[in-house]
Amino acid sequence: MSAELRQSYLQAMGVVLFVPRFVLPGAAPSTWGEYSAPSATAAETAQEQSDAATQVPPPAQAAASSVVDQQAVRRSLDELSSAPSVDSVKPAAALAESITAPAVRFNASLVDSGIGLRMVADCSDGALSPAQKRLMANISRALARRWRCEADLMLSAANFEWPLVKLPGLLQGGDEAREALSARLLANVGELPLRAVLLFGDSLQKYVCEDYLREGGAVLIQAPALQQLLDDGSLKAPLWSALKAIAAGD
């Protein structure tokens, strides 16, 4: 776009353009972007442009030229404003997928033991029962005795609800939920490093990245749902074997 057309656009939009009449301190040397003749030297070109800038067109010609330029600029602006944006036009397949894709919504309870064990349970259908909370506390106590860090045992619970922010237009699908929940599991670790993440049930399994936890130094342990462990005591033995496999020094 030429300088004259650019200034016409700015003038039509009400933008005031200021041009310094002297070299600003620290400014890079200016170079001419256009040349009237390829064979002309830089000095001759600079002199010709300087002479052209000092010539004042007749008032009638200047007024007519200004009116024509403004009308052309307004027509161009109208065409740009009425034309559909490229970013706003989505392929039909992508648009259909975004409309038909089910919304990702869940509520998770995150229980930290303070000894390097963090537990995750799905509570989308309701809060955890007192029996389920006691089971999580007993698992933490048993592991604290095995790791010989009972003094550091301090249970705390937090709620993780997805989506975090209910605003239209934000990406809040399964991939985003997986990244957010995995990052939350590694965040706010206490004095002892996080050794293991115990995930109850398989409803939240696709929202926890095992590789991401491994990079953070934590092992992901899959366990049956809390209510299944309460209803069937035989399921606790394999879970305890998996927890005992984690060495206290890891």
Side-chain angles (χ1 to χ4, degrees), residues 188-239:
N188 302 327
V189 179
E191 296 182 359
L192 296 179
L194 184 63
R195 304 173 186 173
V197 173
L198 180 56
L199 177 61
F200 294 99
D202 56 0
S203 59
L204 298 179
Q205 182 177 358
K206 58 184 177 181
Y207 302 126
V208 178
C209 182
E210 185 175 1
D211 294 336
Y212 186 80
L213 297 179
R214 188 182 298 108
E215 292 178 359
V219 178
L220 178 63
I221 300 178
Q222 302 281 346
L226 288 170
Q227 193 59 43
Q228 291 179 343
L229 291 171
L230 292 173
D231 296 339
D232 188 356
S234 63
L235 299 176
K236 297 179 182 178
L239 173 58

Side-chain angles (χ1 to χ4, degrees), residues 100-242:
T100 58
V104 177
R105 297 182 181 277
F106 63 86
N107 201 338
S109 178
L110 311 182
V111 179
D112 188 74
S113 62
I115 60 173
L117 173 68
R118 186 161 289 175
M119 296 169 283
V120 187
D122 190 358
C123 56
S124 301
D125 297 333
L128 299 178
S129 64
Q132 293 173 343
K133 294 179 180 179
R134 284 195 299 270
L135 178 58
M136 300 175 77
N138 292 335
I139 292 174
S140 300
R141 294 191 186 97
L143 201 57
R145 286 194 297 268
R146 180 172 181 82
W147 287 349
R148 298 180 181 179
C149 55
E150 296 179 79
D152 298 321
L153 182 63
M154 182 178 298
L155 295 175
S156 61
N159 188 54
F160 182 90
E161 183 179 0
W162 185 266
L164 298 176
V165 180
K166 299 179 177 63
L167 291 178
L170 294 180
L171 296 177
Q172 299 181 353
D175 294 339
E176 289 75 21
R178 189 166 181 256
E179 294 177 359
L181 180 56
S182 301
R184 176 61 180 84
L185 290 173
L186 291 178
N188 302 327
V189 179
E191 296 182 359
L192 296 179
L194 184 63
R195 304 173 186 173
V197 173
L198 180 56
L199 177 61
F200 294 99
D202 56 0
S203 59
L204 298 179
Q205 182 177 358
K206 58 184 177 181
Y207 302 126
V208 178
C209 182
E210 185 175 1
D211 294 336
Y212 186 80
L213 297 179
R214 188 182 298 108
E215 292 178 359
V219 178
L220 178 63
I221 300 178
Q222 302 281 346
L226 288 170
Q227 193 59 43
Q228 291 179 343
L229 291 171
L230 292 173
D231 296 339
D232 188 356
S234 63
L235 299 176
K236 297 179 182 178
L239 173 58
W240 181 240
S241 300

